Coordinates of all heavy atoms in Angstrom, one line a residue:
M82 N 101.6 66.5 116.8 CA 102.9 67.0 116.5 C 102.8 68.0 115.3 O 102.2 67.7 114.3 CB 103.8 65.8 116.1 CG 105.2 66.2 115.8 SD 106.1 64.7 115.4 CE 107.7 65.1 115.8
A83 N 103.5 69.1 115.4 CA 103.5 70.1 114.4 C 104.3 69.7 113.2 O 105.3 69.0 113.4 CB 103.9 71.4 115.0
S84 N 104.0 70.2 112.1 CA 104.7 69.9 110.9 C 106.1 70.7 110.9 O 106.1 71.8 111.5 CB 104.0 70.4 109.6 OG 102.8 69.7 109.5
Y85 N 107.1 70.1 110.3 CA 108.4 70.8 110.3 C 108.2 72.2 109.6 O 107.7 72.3 108.5 CB 109.4 70.0 109.5 CG 110.7 70.6 109.3 CD1 111.6 70.7 110.4 CD2 111.1 71.2 108.1 CE1 112.8 71.3 110.2 CE2 112.3 71.8 108.0 CZ 113.2 71.9 109.0 OH 114.4 72.5 108.9
G86 N 108.7 73.2 110.3 CA 108.7 74.5 109.7 C 107.4 75.3 109.9 O 107.3 76.4 109.5
A87 N 106.4 74.6 110.4 CA 105.1 75.3 110.5 C 105.1 76.3 111.7 O 105.5 75.9 112.8 CB 104.0 74.2 110.8
D88 N 104.7 77.5 111.4 CA 104.6 78.5 112.5 C 103.2 78.5 113.0 O 102.2 78.9 112.3 CB 104.9 79.8 111.9 CG 105.0 81.0 112.9 OD1 104.6 80.7 114.1 OD2 105.4 82.1 112.5
Q89 N 103.0 78.1 114.2 CA 101.7 77.9 114.8 C 101.0 79.3 115.0 O 99.8 79.4 115.2 CB 101.8 77.2 116.2 CG 102.4 75.8 116.1 CD 101.5 74.9 115.2 OE1 100.3 75.0 115.3 NE2 102.1 74.1 114.5
N90 N 101.8 80.4 115.0 CA 101.2 81.7 115.2 C 101.1 82.5 113.9 O 100.7 83.7 114.0 CB 102.1 82.5 116.2 CG 102.0 81.9 117.6 OD1 101.0 81.4 118.1 ND2 103.2 81.8 118.3
A91 N 101.4 81.9 112.8 CA 101.3 82.6 111.5 C 99.9 82.9 111.1 O 99.0 82.1 111.4 CB 102.0 81.7 110.4
T92 N 99.7 84.0 110.6 CA 98.4 84.3 110.0 C 98.3 84.0 108.6 O 99.3 84.2 107.9 CB 98.0 85.8 110.3 OG1 99.1 86.6 109.7 CG2 98.0 86.2 111.7
P93 N 97.2 83.6 108.1 CA 97.1 83.2 106.6 C 97.2 84.5 105.8 O 96.9 85.6 106.3 CB 95.7 82.6 106.5 CG 95.0 83.1 107.6 CD 95.9 83.3 108.7
P94 N 97.7 84.4 104.6 CA 97.8 85.6 103.7 C 96.5 86.1 103.4 O 95.5 85.4 103.4 CB 98.6 85.1 102.5 CG 98.4 83.6 102.5 CD 98.2 83.2 103.9
P95 N 96.4 87.4 103.1 CA 95.1 88.0 102.7 C 94.6 87.4 101.4 O 95.3 86.9 100.6 CB 95.3 89.5 102.6 CG 96.8 89.6 102.4 CD 97.4 88.4 103.0
H96 N 93.3 87.5 101.2 CA 92.6 86.9 100.0 C 92.4 88.1 99.0 O 91.4 88.8 99.2 CB 91.3 86.2 100.3 CG 91.6 85.0 101.1 ND1 92.1 83.8 100.7 CD2 91.4 84.8 102.5 CE1 92.2 83.0 101.6 NE2 91.7 83.5 102.7
P97 N 93.2 88.2 98.0 CA 93.1 89.4 97.0 C 92.0 89.0 96.0 O 91.7 87.9 95.8 CB 94.5 89.4 96.4 CG 95.0 88.0 96.4 CD 94.4 87.5 97.7
D98 N 91.5 90.1 95.4 CA 90.6 90.0 94.2 C 91.6 89.9 93.0 O 92.3 90.9 92.7 CB 89.7 91.2 94.1 CG 88.8 91.1 93.0 OD1 88.8 90.2 92.2 OD2 87.9 92.0 92.9
L99 N 91.6 88.7 92.4 CA 92.6 88.5 91.3 C 92.2 89.3 90.0 O 93.1 89.5 89.1 CB 92.8 87.1 91.0 CG 93.4 86.3 92.2 CD1 93.5 84.8 91.8 CD2 94.7 86.9 92.6
G100 N 91.0 89.7 89.9 CA 90.6 90.4 88.6 C 91.4 91.7 88.4 O 92.0 91.8 87.4
P101 N 91.4 92.6 89.4 CA 92.2 93.8 89.3 C 93.7 93.6 89.3 O 94.5 94.4 88.9 CB 91.8 94.7 90.5 CG 90.7 94.0 91.2 CD 90.5 92.6 90.6
A102 N 94.1 92.4 89.9 CA 95.5 92.1 90.0 C 96.1 91.8 88.6 O 97.3 92.0 88.4 CB 95.8 91.0 90.9
R103 N 95.3 91.3 87.7 CA 95.9 91.0 86.4 C 96.5 92.2 85.7 O 95.9 93.2 85.7 CB 94.8 90.5 85.4 CG 94.4 89.1 85.7 CD 93.4 88.6 84.6 NE 92.8 87.4 85.1 CZ 91.5 87.3 85.6 NH1 90.8 88.4 85.6 NH2 91.0 86.2 86.0
G104 N 97.7 92.0 85.3 CA 98.5 93.1 84.7 C 99.1 94.1 85.6 O 99.7 95.1 85.2
C105 N 98.9 93.9 86.9 CA 99.5 94.9 87.9 C 101.0 94.7 87.9 O 101.5 93.5 88.1 CB 98.9 94.7 89.3 SG 99.7 95.8 90.5
E106 N 101.8 95.7 87.7 CA 103.2 95.6 87.7 C 103.8 95.6 89.1 O 105.0 95.2 89.3 CB 103.8 96.8 86.9 CG 103.5 96.7 85.4 CD 104.1 97.8 84.6 OE1 104.9 98.5 85.1 OE2 103.6 98.0 83.5
T107 N 103.1 96.0 90.1 CA 103.6 96.0 91.5 C 103.6 94.6 92.1 O 104.6 94.2 92.6 CB 102.7 97.0 92.4 OG1 102.7 98.3 91.8 CG2 103.2 97.0 93.8
C108 N 102.5 93.9 92.0 CA 102.4 92.6 92.6 C 102.5 91.5 91.5 O 102.4 90.3 91.9 CB 101.0 92.4 93.3 SG 99.6 92.4 92.2
L109 N 102.7 91.8 90.3 CA 102.8 90.8 89.2 C 101.7 89.9 89.1 O 101.8 88.7 88.7 CB 104.1 90.1 89.4 CG 105.4 90.9 89.5 CD1 106.6 90.1 89.8 CD2 105.6 91.7 88.2
G110 N 100.5 90.4 89.4 CA 99.3 89.6 89.2 C 98.8 88.8 90.4 O 97.8 88.1 90.4
W111 N 99.6 88.8 91.5 CA 99.3 88.0 92.7 C 98.2 88.7 93.5 O 97.5 88.0 94.3 CB 100.5 87.7 93.5 CG 101.4 86.7 92.8 CD1 102.5 87.0 92.0 CD2 101.3 85.3 92.9 NE1 103.1 85.8 91.6 CE2 102.4 84.8 92.1 CE3 100.4 84.4 93.5 CZ2 102.5 83.4 91.9 CZ3 100.6 83.1 93.3 CH2 101.7 82.6 92.6
G112 N 98.2 90.0 93.5 CA 97.2 90.7 94.4 C 97.8 91.0 95.8 O 97.2 91.7 96.6
T113 N 98.9 90.4 96.1 CA 99.6 90.6 97.4 C 101.1 90.9 97.2 O 101.6 90.6 96.1 CB 99.5 89.4 98.3 OG1 100.1 88.3 97.7 CG2 98.0 89.1 98.7
V114 N 101.7 91.6 98.1 CA 103.1 91.8 98.1 C 103.7 91.3 99.4 O 102.9 91.2 100.4 CB 103.4 93.3 97.9 CG1 103.0 93.8 96.6 CG2 102.7 94.2 99.0
V115 N 104.9 91.0 99.5 CA 105.6 90.6 100.7 C 106.4 91.8 101.2 O 107.2 92.4 100.5 CB 106.6 89.4 100.4 CG1 107.3 89.0 101.7 CG2 105.8 88.2 99.8
T116 N 106.1 92.1 102.5 CA 106.8 93.2 103.2 C 108.2 92.8 103.5 O 108.7 91.7 103.4 CB 106.1 93.6 104.5 OG1 106.1 92.5 105.4 CG2 104.6 94.0 104.2
D117 N 109.0 93.9 103.9 CA 110.4 93.6 104.3 C 110.5 92.6 105.4 O 111.5 91.9 105.5 CB 111.1 94.9 104.7 CG 111.3 95.9 103.5 OD1 111.3 95.4 102.4 OD2 111.4 97.1 103.7
D118 N 109.5 92.5 106.3 CA 109.6 91.6 107.4 C 109.0 90.2 107.1 O 108.8 89.4 108.0 CB 109.0 92.2 108.7 CG 107.6 92.6 108.6 OD1 107.0 92.6 107.4 OD2 107.0 93.0 109.6
G119 N 108.6 90.0 105.8 CA 108.2 88.7 105.4 C 106.7 88.4 105.5 O 106.3 87.3 105.3
H120 N 105.9 89.5 105.7 CA 104.4 89.3 105.8 C 103.8 89.6 104.5 O 104.2 90.5 103.7 CB 103.8 90.2 106.9 CG 104.3 89.8 108.3 ND1 105.3 90.4 108.9 CD2 103.8 88.8 109.1 CE1 105.4 89.8 110.1 NE2 104.5 88.9 110.2
H121 N 102.7 88.9 104.2 CA 101.9 89.2 102.9 C 100.9 90.3 103.2 O 100.2 90.2 104.3 CB 101.2 87.9 102.5 CG 102.1 86.9 101.9 ND1 102.3 86.7 100.6 CD2 102.9 85.9 102.6 CE1 103.1 85.7 100.4 NE2 103.5 85.2 101.6
E122 N 100.8 91.2 102.3 CA 99.8 92.3 102.4 C 99.1 92.5 101.1 O 99.8 92.2 100.1 CB 100.4 93.6 102.9 CG 100.9 93.6 104.3 CD 101.5 95.0 104.7 OE1 101.6 95.9 103.8 OE2 101.8 95.1 105.9
L123 N 97.9 92.9 101.1 CA 97.2 93.2 99.8 C 98.0 94.3 99.1 O 98.6 95.2 99.7 CB 95.8 93.7 100.1 CG 94.8 92.6 100.6 CD1 93.5 93.3 100.9 CD2 94.7 91.5 99.6
C124 N 98.1 94.2 97.8 CA 98.8 95.2 97.0 C 98.0 96.5 97.0 O 96.8 96.6 96.6 CB 98.9 94.7 95.5 SG 99.6 95.9 94.4
A125 N 98.7 97.6 97.4 CA 98.0 98.9 97.5 C 97.7 99.5 96.1 O 96.9 100.4 96.0 CB 98.9 99.9 98.3
T126 N 98.4 99.0 95.1 CA 98.2 99.5 93.7 C 96.9 99.0 93.1 O 96.2 99.8 92.5 CB 99.4 99.1 92.9 OG1 100.6 99.7 93.4 CG2 99.2 99.7 91.4
C127 N 96.6 97.7 93.2 CA 95.5 97.1 92.5 C 94.3 96.7 93.4 O 93.3 96.4 92.9 CB 96.0 96.0 91.7 SG 96.5 94.5 92.6
Q128 N 94.5 96.6 94.7 CA 93.5 96.1 95.6 C 92.8 97.3 96.3 O 93.3 97.8 97.2 CB 94.0 95.1 96.6 CG 94.7 93.9 96.0 CD 93.7 93.1 95.2 OE1 92.7 92.6 95.7 NE2 94.0 92.8 93.9
Q129 N 91.7 97.7 95.7 CA 90.9 98.8 96.3 C 90.5 98.5 97.7 O 90.1 97.4 98.0 CB 89.7 99.1 95.5 CG 88.9 100.3 96.0 CD 87.7 100.6 95.1 OE1 87.4 99.8 94.1 NE2 87.0 101.6 95.4
G130 N 90.8 99.5 98.6 CA 90.4 99.3 100.0 C 91.4 98.5 100.8 O 91.2 98.0 101.9
A131 N 92.6 98.3 100.2 CA 93.6 97.5 100.9 C 94.0 98.0 102.3 O 94.3 97.2 103.1 CB 94.9 97.4 100.0
Y132 N 93.9 99.3 102.5 CA 94.3 99.8 103.7 C 93.2 100.6 104.4 O 93.4 101.4 105.3 CB 95.5 100.8 103.6 CG 96.7 100.0 103.1 CD1 97.1 100.0 101.7 CD2 97.4 99.2 104.0 CE1 98.2 99.3 101.3 CE2 98.5 98.4 103.5 CZ 98.9 98.5 102.2 OH 100.0 97.8 101.8
D133 N 91.9 100.3 104.1 CA 90.8 100.9 104.7 C 90.6 100.5 106.2 O 90.4 101.3 107.0 CB 89.5 100.6 104.0 CG 89.4 101.4 102.6 OD1 90.3 102.2 102.4 OD2 88.5 101.1 101.8
D134 N 90.8 99.2 106.4 CA 90.6 98.6 107.8 C 92.0 98.3 108.3 O 92.8 97.7 107.7 CB 89.7 97.4 107.8 CG 88.3 97.6 107.3 OD1 87.8 98.7 107.7 OD2 87.7 96.8 106.7
P135 N 92.3 98.7 109.6 CA 93.6 98.3 110.2 C 93.6 96.8 110.4 O 92.6 96.2 110.7 CB 93.6 99.1 111.5 CG 92.1 99.3 111.8 CD 91.4 99.4 110.5
P136 N 94.8 96.3 110.2 CA 95.0 94.8 110.5 C 94.8 94.5 112.0 O 95.1 95.4 112.8 CB 96.4 94.5 110.0 CG 97.1 95.8 110.1 CD 96.0 96.9 109.8
L137 N 94.4 93.3 112.3 CA 94.4 92.9 113.6 C 95.8 92.7 114.2 O 96.6 92.2 113.5 CB 93.6 91.6 113.8 CG 92.1 91.6 113.5 CD1 91.5 90.2 113.6 CD2 91.4 92.6 114.5
D138 N 96.0 93.1 115.4 CA 97.2 92.9 116.1 C 97.2 91.5 116.6 O 96.4 91.1 117.5 CB 97.4 93.9 117.2 CG 98.8 93.8 117.9 OD1 99.5 92.8 117.7 OD2 99.1 94.8 118.6
T139 N 98.0 90.6 116.1 CA 97.9 89.2 116.4 C 98.4 88.9 117.8 O 98.2 87.8 118.3 CB 98.7 88.3 115.4 OG1 100.1 88.8 115.4 CG2 98.1 88.4 114.0
R140 N 99.0 89.8 118.5 CA 99.5 89.6 119.9 C 98.4 89.8 120.9 O 98.5 89.4 122.0 CB 100.7 90.6 120.2 CG 101.9 90.3 119.3 CD 102.9 91.3 119.5 NE 102.4 92.5 118.8 CZ 103.0 93.7 118.7 NH1 104.1 93.9 119.4 NH2 102.4 94.7 118.0
T141 N 97.3 90.4 120.5 CA 96.2 90.6 121.4 C 94.9 90.2 120.7 O 94.9 89.9 119.5 CB 96.0 92.1 121.8 OG1 95.7 92.9 120.6 CG2 97.3 92.7 122.4
S142 N 93.8 90.1 121.4 CA 92.6 89.7 120.7 C 91.7 90.8 120.2 O 90.7 90.6 119.7 CB 91.7 88.9 121.8 OG 91.5 89.7 122.9
S143 N 92.2 92.1 120.4 CA 91.4 93.2 119.9 C 92.1 93.9 118.8 O 93.3 93.9 118.7 CB 91.2 94.2 121.1 OG 92.4 94.7 121.6
P144 N 91.4 94.6 117.9 CA 92.0 95.3 116.8 C 92.8 96.5 117.3 O 92.5 97.0 118.4 CB 90.9 95.7 115.9 CG 89.7 95.7 116.8 CD 89.9 94.7 117.8
R145 N 93.7 97.0 116.5 CA 94.5 98.2 116.9 C 93.5 99.4 116.9 O 92.7 99.5 116.1 CB 95.6 98.4 115.9 CG 96.7 97.4 115.9 CD 97.7 97.8 115.0 NE 98.6 96.6 114.8 CZ 99.4 96.5 113.7 NH1 99.5 97.5 112.8 NH2 100.2 95.5 113.6
T146 N 93.8 100.2 117.8 CA 93.0 101.5 117.9 C 93.9 102.7 117.9 O 95.0 102.6 118.2 CB 92.1 101.5 119.2 OG1 93.0 101.4 120.3 CG2 91.1 100.4 119.2
S147 N 93.3 103.8 117.5 CA 94.1 105.0 117.4 C 94.3 105.5 118.9 O 93.6 105.1 119.8 CB 93.4 106.1 116.6 OG 92.1 106.4 117.2
G148 N 95.1 106.5 119.0 CA 95.4 107.0 120.4 C 94.4 107.9 121.0 O 94.7 108.6 121.9
T149 N 93.2 107.9 120.4 CA 92.2 108.8 121.0 C 91.3 108.2 122.0 O 91.1 107.0 122.1 CB 91.2 109.4 119.9 OG1 90.6 108.3 119.2 CG2 92.0 110.3 118.9

């Protein structure tokens, strides 16, 4: 039986490097920010490489690809 309120399809939040997050005014030291749709993402201000790799599309088993 699933726990109350548990989303079985939820992805865990990303694991930020807390060293550079200290003192960051964007994420307030957490290393992640919450998007408008409620997902956690690495802070683009303090987490180097936060957007280097595209996130996995959780609806499919393959990563997102460009239109080429």
